[in-house]
Amino acid sequence: LEPAFGEVNQLGGVFVNGRPLPNAIRLRIVELAQLGIRPCDISRQLRVSHGCVSKILARYNETGSILPGAIGGSKPRVTTPTVVKHIRTYKQRDPGIFAWEIRDRLLADGVCDKFNLPSVSSISRILRNKIGNLAQQSQYESGKQAPHPPPQPSLPYNHLYSYPASKVPNPPGMPTLPGHMAMHRIWPSSHSVTDILGIRSITEQQISDSPSFSSAKLEEWSAINRSNFPPASSSLVNGVDKAHLEPHEAKSTQTPSGLPTANSYVTAPSIPPYHPPTQVSPYMGYSATTSAYVTGPTWQPASGSALSPHSCDLAGPLAFKNIAASRDAIHPVAASVL
DNA sequence: TCCGTTACGGTTGAC
DNA sequence: ATGTCAACCGTAACG
């Protein structure tokens, strides 16, 4: 299990080694960037290392997702869902078929080539572990129905690794899978009210006990963030209740295409890269960069939405400057957590 | 000063 | 049931 408290980085931010930042923090990083705030200021404001900010923003610009990558597990080398499906079919049609026969058929039917043909032992394992009782079930199950259909038949791993018929997997960032394509496949974009509300729901996890946040003054972020690093709170990391967030995070990370929480983070891929300071007008930065992400009716103050950017005018980035200048006073407090 | 990159120590989960 | 391994994580430091 993870420690109740993470470690404290050089900026005074709390993190858990080996674990992703909470989604709320990731979301804020992207939001602040869209407001035209420089990554270095985001780093200081949120007390997240600039390398991490850089990484999250780069990933977001590339994939449109703020979510961390899939942690753990192994990519299927040969026993892809397709292969398993064919093995299952062979077994259904001929319950007495031998593993080596299945292997031959996979090759003969073109399901596999010589590079990704499973070994006999692998096929045996599949028969034992995944299709073990299928022979009996196949009596009253039609065709391709799996005994336990996964929530998302097209496994995310297959998407993530984009395992093709050819042996060579796509290296990350290969143009064969453009960013927007990856996003649509893994994180289908949506601008529905529900999805936007989903974003809000995450952020409100963090701010639910901060009514003053609804005024959406950027100056207040500092105070809120400070309150997000309580010296003695139960299981808060970066102000997010891990007990709430972690399971969803893990789920959404591993099954990105199947969960509403994943969709909640999906945004348009057309987020412009970070505006260099020379060309950034706060107005430009806001109006030109946030339309896809934080605009829309549900973000309007009518609902008291906390994160409406419309109250973040020119003073916004400047306020962050001031915050950055005075943050040292906060440091000892956060550092004293440990 | 800013930021892209990477070594490092860590976690995770399919196999 | 357990160990392995390759994916991922964020930080810190370098350039």
Side-chain angles (χ1 to χ4, degrees):
Chain A
L1 291 179
E2 293 176 17
F5 294 103
E7 305 167 47
V8 176
N9 62 25
Q10 291 176 338
L11 300 173
V14 179
F15 70 101
V16 179
N17 198 4
R19 301 297 297 140
L21 284 177
N23 285 331
I25 301 297
R26 312 176 78 90
L27 184 60
R28 280 189 177 182
I29 289 171
V30 171
E31 287 174 346
L32 294 182
Q34 290 173 343
L35 291 173
I37 298 171
R38 299 181 304 171
C40 61
D41 290 328
I42 297 172
S43 171
R44 286 188 282 256
Q45 165 67 20
L46 300 181
R47 298 180 190 76
V48 172
S49 67
H50 89 264
C52 183
V53 170
S54 174
K55 180 178 174 180
I56 288 173
L57 290 178
R59 174 181 304 202
Y60 180 77
N61 284 325
E62 185 174 339
T63 69
S65 170
I66 68 162
L67 294 177
I71 300 175
S74 308
K75 70 174 182 180
R77 300 180 186 278
V78 292
T79 59
T80 63
T82 299
V83 171
V84 173
K85 189 180 76 176
H86 278 85
I87 294 174
R88 179 184 298 121
T89 301
Y90 298 151
K91 189 68 175 178
Q92 284 174 340
R93 292 177 183 171
D94 181 7
I97 192 172
F98 291 115
W100 62 267
E101 291 177 302
I102 291 176
R103 189 169 188 266
D104 288 348
R105 288 204 56 177
L106 288 171
L107 193 58
D109 292 352
V111 178
C112 302
D113 55 32
K114 59 181 180 180
F115 296 109
N116 62 359
L117 187 63
S119 65
V120 172
S121 60
S122 293
I123 294 172
S124 296
R125 194 189 319 116
I126 291 170
L127 292 172
R128 178 170 14 98
N129 295 339
K130 297 186 177 181
I131 316 180
N133 51 2
L134 191 76
Q136 296 87 338
Q137 291 200 358
S138 64
Q139 307 293 333
Y140 36 84
E141 279 197 14
S142 65
K144 299 173 181 178
Q145 280 281 18
H148 300 289
Q152 196 66 24
S154 55
L155 291 176
Y157 251 120
N158 237 16
H159 286 306
L160 290 177
Y161 291 104
S162 182
Y163 202 84
S166 69
K167 180 176 184 292
V168 182
N170 290 338
M174 271 294 283
T176 55
L177 190 64
H180 68 280
M181 286 292 293
M183 190 204 68
H184 283 300
R185 292 177 60 196
I186 303 175
W187 318 101
S189 180
S190 170
H191 302 285
S192 69
V193 170
T194 304
D195 289 335
I196 297 174
L197 284 174
I199 296 174
R200 287 184 52 204
S201 71
I202 292 299
T203 57
E204 284 169 0
Q205 287 181 14
Q206 186 166 4
I207 62 177
S208 57
D209 56 349
S210 300
S212 64
F213 194 89
S214 58
S215 68
K217 291 181 181 178
L218 288 181
E219 287 85 351
E220 294 178 359
W221 267 40
S222 175
I224 290 162
N225 270 358
R226 260 172 274 150
S227 70
N228 281 342
F229 299 95
S233 179
S234 56
S235 63
L236 292 177
V237 172
N238 278 352
V240 174
D241 190 342
K242 288 171 51 194
H244 273 145
L245 196 51
E246 287 288 331
H248 300 307
E249 267 187 344
K251 288 274 187 175
S252 61
T253 297
Q254 301 299 334
T255 60
S257 57
L259 293 180
T261 53
N263 285 344
S264 298
Y265 297 101
V266 171
T267 65
S270 58
I271 299 308
Y274 158 64
H275 289 260
T278 51
Q279 76 182 56
V280 154
S281 150
Y283 302 101
M284 282 289 294
Y286 158 61
S287 62
T289 64
T290 60
S291 58
Y293 201 88
V294 291
T295 58
T298 57
W299 290 89
Q300 297 307 308
S303 63
S305 173
L307 292 181
S308 168
H310 294 273
S311 58
C312 302
D313 54 9
L314 178 57
L318 299 178
F320 275 90
K321 287 286 190 180
N322 296 335
I323 290 168
S326 62
R327 183 167 319 115
D328 284 346
I330 309 171
H331 255 239
V333 177
S336 68
V337 167
L338 292 189

